[in-house]
Amino acid sequence: MRRASAVALAVVVPGALLGWGAYAALGGPRDSGPDRVKSAAPSGWTAPSDGTSANGGIGAGAKPGPDSAATPLKGKVVVIDPGHNPANHRHTAEINRQVDIGTNRKECDTTGTSTNSGYSEAAFTLDVAHRLRALLQQRGATVKLTQDADRPYGPCVDERARIGNAAHADAVVSLHADGSGSGNRGYHVILPGEVRAGGADTRAVVGPSRELGRLVSAGFGRATGTAPSNYVGDGSGIVTRKDLGGLNLSTVPKVFIECGNMRDTKDAALLTSGAWRQKAAQGISDGIVSFLRG
C-alpha cells in the first residue's frame, strides 16, 4: 500500500508543477507586481518615481470587470487641460500674442508659476493630468489631454476651449496651481460666469459646470484632506469668473481647479509630494465620476 501511494505521488507532483508553469506563463498572480502596472498604463504615462500607485488604491495589476459598475464612464469623453506648457518660457513672443476670449482679448497663454524651490506649475499640472487620466480610463472613460508636452508651446486659451468642444466632451477640467502670497492656502474651483459676447456664449453650460465644480471641489477636499482657499471664495472653495478664455469659449461643461498655492511653503510641500498629487488626482476623478453618473 505504501509503495502504491509513492508511485501515485510521483505521478501527481510533476503534473501539478507542469500545470503551475502553464498558469504562470498565462499571467498568474506573479504578474501583479509593479511591472504589470507599467505595462497596463495608458500610452505616454510614466510611472511615478516616488513609488505611488497611479490606480488610486486598486491593487497593482487589477483590472475592472466587464460589468457596468466597474466601468461607469464607458462611452463618456473627458478632456483634461493641464495648465500651461513646460516649454512656454522659451516662446514668450508666441504666448504673449493676444487672442479673442469673447469679452475682450487676452494673452495666448502664460508660463505659469512655480514654488520657491523652482518646481513649476506646468510640471505639476502635467503630472496630475497623467495620474487623473489613468484613473478615469480605469473607469471606462475616453480621455483626451489638451497638451502633453508634445508641442513647442501652448495651446492658446482659445484653442484649449476648442479642443474640448471638438471632442464633444461630457466634462472638461483644467488643472492649475496658484501663485498667491505666502500665507494664502487651500484649493478653489473656478466656474464660468454667464457670458454672451463676441464668440462666447456660456448660458447653456453655466448650470452643468456649476454642478461639476461642486462635485470636484467636494471630492478634492475629501481625498486630499485640505481645506478650501482662505483667500478667495469666502471659504466655499468656489469662485465664478468671466475673464478666462478657456471657460468663456467652452460649449461643454468645464471648470478650473487651483489645487493649492505654490508660493506658500506649507502648500508647496503638498504640491511637490507625489503621494499627495495622487490624492489630488483621485479627488478630481471622484468628482468627475459623480458628475457623469448623475
Side-chain angles (χ1 to χ4, degrees):
M1 185 69 178
R2 190 175 298 117
R3 180 187 178 108
S5 298
V7 171
L9 184 60
V11 172
V12 170
V13 170
L17 292 174
L18 180 60
W20 166 252
Y23 175 63
L26 291 172
R30 66 177 184 172
D31 284 341
S32 61
D35 289 344
R36 174 78 167 181
V37 174
K38 185 175 181 180
S39 65
S43 174
W45 182 83
T46 303
S49 59
D50 49 38
T52 57
S53 168
N55 60 10
I58 298 175
K63 294 182 179 179
D67 58 293
S68 60
T71 55
L73 302 188
K74 186 175 182 180
K76 300 294 186 181
V77 177
V78 179
V79 171
I80 303 170
D81 179 27
H84 315 290
N85 180 315
N88 272 358
H89 67 280
R90 293 196 290 267
H91 297 273
T92 54
E94 291 89 345
I95 66 171
N96 284 331
R97 177 173 61 86
Q98 299 282 301
V99 297
D100 186 0
I101 66 167
T103 51
N104 60 293
R105 298 183 69 82
K106 206 169 183 179
E107 294 86 355
C108 156
D109 202 0
T110 70
T111 59
T113 187
S114 67
T115 65
N116 294 332
S117 63
Y119 180 58
S120 71
E121 180 183 3
F124 169 81
T125 62
L126 205 54
D127 180 86
V128 175
H130 291 165
R131 296 169 187 266
L132 178 57
R133 176 174 61 186
L135 291 168
L136 292 170
Q137 286 179 332
Q138 286 178 348
R139 306 305 294 273
T142 296
V143 182
K144 301 177 184 293
L145 269 61
T146 58
Q147 61 92 12
D148 198 1
D150 53 356
R151 51 189 295 160
Y153 66 91
C156 296
V157 293
D158 56 337
E159 185 182 351
R160 289 175 185 267
R162 288 196 297 271
I163 291 170
N165 298 344
H168 302 289
D170 296 287
V172 183
V173 175
S174 189
L175 305 175
H176 291 269
D178 211 354
S180 187
S182 180
N184 292 340
R185 298 197 60 195
Y187 68 90
H188 62 278
V189 174
I190 305 173
L191 312 180
E194 187 169 310
V195 171
R196 189 184 182 191
D201 187 350
T202 63
R203 290 174 296 173
V205 298
V206 165
S209 296
R210 183 184 301 116
E211 181 65 5
L212 172 62
R214 182 185 70 81
L215 292 169
V216 167
S217 176
F220 189 89
R222 280 194 304 268
T224 62
T226 53
S229 171
N230 64 5
Y231 61 100
V232 293
D234 297 322
S236 69
I238 301 290
V239 177
T240 300
R241 290 176 60 173
K242 299 181 179 180
D243 64 328
L244 298 176
L247 294 180
N248 286 359
L249 300 173
S250 181
T251 58
V252 294
K254 182 174 182 178
V255 298
F256 280 41
I257 180 166
E258 299 278 3
C259 297
N261 176 20
M262 296 197 116
R263 292 297 184 175
D264 177 81
T265 55
K266 292 180 179 178
D267 268 12
L270 300 176
L271 296 164
T272 54
S273 162
W276 189 87
R277 292 195 298 272
Q278 185 63 31
K279 293 177 182 178
Q282 184 65 61
I284 297 168
S285 173
D286 290 346
I288 293 171
V289 171
S290 295
F291 173 74
L292 294 180
R293 295 183 73 175

